[in-house]
Structures are given as structure tokens and as C-alpha cells.
Amino acid sequence: MDEVLAGKTALVVGASEGVGRIYSLALAQAGVKVAAVARRVLPRDGDPACLQEVMEAGRGLGPPILGLGADISRKADIERVVDETLAHLGHIDIFIFNAKSSSGYSDCLSVPDEHWDNTLQINLRAPYAFLQKIVPGMKARRSGSIIMMSTRCALPVSIDDPGHKNLLAYGVTKAALQRLSTYFSAELAPYGIAVNSLSPGNVNVLTGGAPPSIEQFAPPLLHLARQTAQTMTGAWLNTTDYGTAWP
């Protein structure tokens, strides 16, 4: 139980696997009421990663996790899951956007139109649609923490870096998401709302191929969830630097 976060509510998008799953479980363990959003609700084709598994894994950790299935490429689905979260939890104190789309790999002059369309929709238009629905309530309460999951692909990196090669659409849309975050950090600062970006790093490398754990990946996320506009906002931070370069 976390004395700052306990009793708050959170909406986590992209919550059925990987670090999104870990963030949902860690928030529940901290005493936060969590609505977890993902496309896959039930196991499929032998893959256990789904909202049902997250809800079961969260039992006994803290408040029950509410699983909400959605295709966030559809604005109607985004509006529905926010409305359902508000109906069940009352309001949203913490918003974490962890969903992403890379839409495959392409040479920089050969990115198909459909790749641009999909990455723009998931990596930029979807988080903006969530903000349109969530921010008015945070402004009314004059509090909140928004965390956009980022990547080093959003930054200028060496041509030899794995975050560069054949990832033009992904990197450009994630860079745009970073600007969306800094834009909203300025707009929402007068209301006490923090808006920060967090890169989890290369999860497979950091875990040696094992599933991510709460102990390794949750502390930076929980730290950002506690922030206000007065303590930290507009930052781009890397999980691997937590405990050294920040907080």
C-alpha cells in the first residue's frame, strides 16, 4: 500500500502484457483502483496474455482490477472505455498510455501509407482522444498525473542504433507523442496536473528475455504517478536511469 497513491484511480491503456501488465498490477498493489484496457480480453491461440489473466493476477494484491476490452483505433471504443471507467470508479486520477504500434519495418523511402495511417492512429490520435475525454475531469478537480510511454526511438539516435533502422514511422509518431506531452504539460500546469513521458527501455534486453517484474519496472512508474505539476512535469525519463539520474 502506498500512502500517496492508495485510494486513487487509474486508467492504463495497453495493459494485457509486458510492462503495461506490470504497471496495472503495481498500481493495484499500491492501493489504486485500476481500469486496465487492451484489445485482447480472453486467451487466444495458446497465448495467455489477456485482460482476464491480468485481473486474475491482481486478485489479492489490492483493489480488484477492472478489465475493459477495446480497439483504440476506434474513437467510439476510446470514449466507451473512459465512460465505463468513470461509471465504475467515479473519476480518473492517473492516466497511463502504454499502447503502441510500429506497423512493421520499412526502408525510410518505402513506408507504406497503411503503416503511416496505423502508427499515427495508435501512437498519436488515440492518446489525444483519451486526453479529450479525461482531462476535463482532471481540470475540474485540479489534480492528476498523465504518463505517456515513450521510447528512445523518439530521440535522435545513431544510424547504427536498433532504435533507428527501418523505424521511421514509429520514431516520428513517438516524437510527436512527446511533443503532445510537453504541450499538455504547459497547458495543464495551472491546474496542478503533471504530464510526463517514460521510456521503459529495451525490456527484453533488461530482463534477459524473462517476463518483466514489478520490482524492476514499477518503481519509476509509481514515482511519476505521485507527481503533480508543482513537483515534476514536462519530463522525458528513462527507466534505466531511475535511482541514478533521477528522481
Side-chain angles (χ1 to χ4, degrees):
M1 195 72 65
D2 186 289
E3 62 181 19
V4 175
L5 296 176
K8 292 190 175 183
T9 62
L11 177 62
V12 183
V13 180
S16 62
E17 59 184 329
V19 292
R21 173 184 180 274
I22 291 302
Y23 296 153
S24 298
L25 296 177
L27 286 165
Q29 190 174 58
V32 177
K33 294 174 283 186
V34 176
V37 176
R39 183 193 293 265
R40 188 179 299 177
V41 177
L42 300 172
R44 185 174 60 203
D45 301 327
D47 185 351
C50 64
L51 289 175
Q52 181 186 66
E53 188 280 329
V54 175
M55 290 186 286
E56 291 175 353
R59 285 181 184 161
L61 290 179
I65 294 173
L66 172 67
L68 299 172
D71 177 356
I72 65 166
S73 68
R74 301 173 181 171
K75 191 169 184 178
D77 273 24
I78 291 173
E79 293 175 344
R80 172 181 55 79
V81 296
V82 174
D83 288 340
E84 290 184 11
T85 300
L86 296 175
H88 285 87
L89 304 183
H91 61 273
I92 298 169
D93 297 304
I94 302 161
F95 172 56
I96 300 167
F97 188 83
N98 178 62
K100 69 179 187 297
S101 173
S102 60
S103 288
Y105 298 87
S106 302
D107 174 78
C108 65
L109 294 178
S110 305
V111 182
D113 288 347
E114 58 269 25
H115 287 190
W116 279 113
D117 291 343
N118 191 55
T119 52
L120 282 165
Q121 185 66 36
I122 300 300
N123 295 347
L124 189 60
R125 293 185 67 183
Y128 178 66
F130 272 107
L131 293 178
Q132 285 182 299
K133 287 284 288 183
I134 293 170
V135 164
M138 288 185 171
K139 288 175 69 174
R141 294 188 308 281
R142 304 187 72 84
S143 68
S145 178
I146 296 167
I147 305 168
M148 298 294 191
M149 301 309 299
S150 187
T151 169
R152 75 180 186 281
C153 297
L155 309 175
V157 293
S158 164
I159 193 170
D160 299 319
D161 192 291
H164 174 95
K165 190 171 180 59
N166 296 329
L167 287 172
L168 175 65
Y170 180 60
V172 167
T173 54
K174 280 295 194 176
L177 178 64
Q178 170 60 17
R179 180 62 185 116
L180 183 75
S181 299
T182 57
Y183 190 98
F184 270 93
S185 71
E187 289 282 326
L188 300 181
Y191 299 91
I193 301 166
V195 186
N196 293 293
S197 299
L198 177 65
S199 171
N202 189 321
V203 176
N204 286 332
V205 171
L206 293 174
T207 64
S213 66
I214 289 178
E215 292 74 20
Q216 185 173 9
F217 287 92
L221 184 283
L222 295 177
H223 178 81
L224 290 182
R226 298 184 193 104
Q227 301 309 303
T228 69
Q230 290 72 39
T231 58
M232 181 187 291
T233 194
W236 187 97
L237 300 161
N238 198 316
T239 292
T240 55
D241 294 332
Y242 183 74
T244 55
W246 70 284

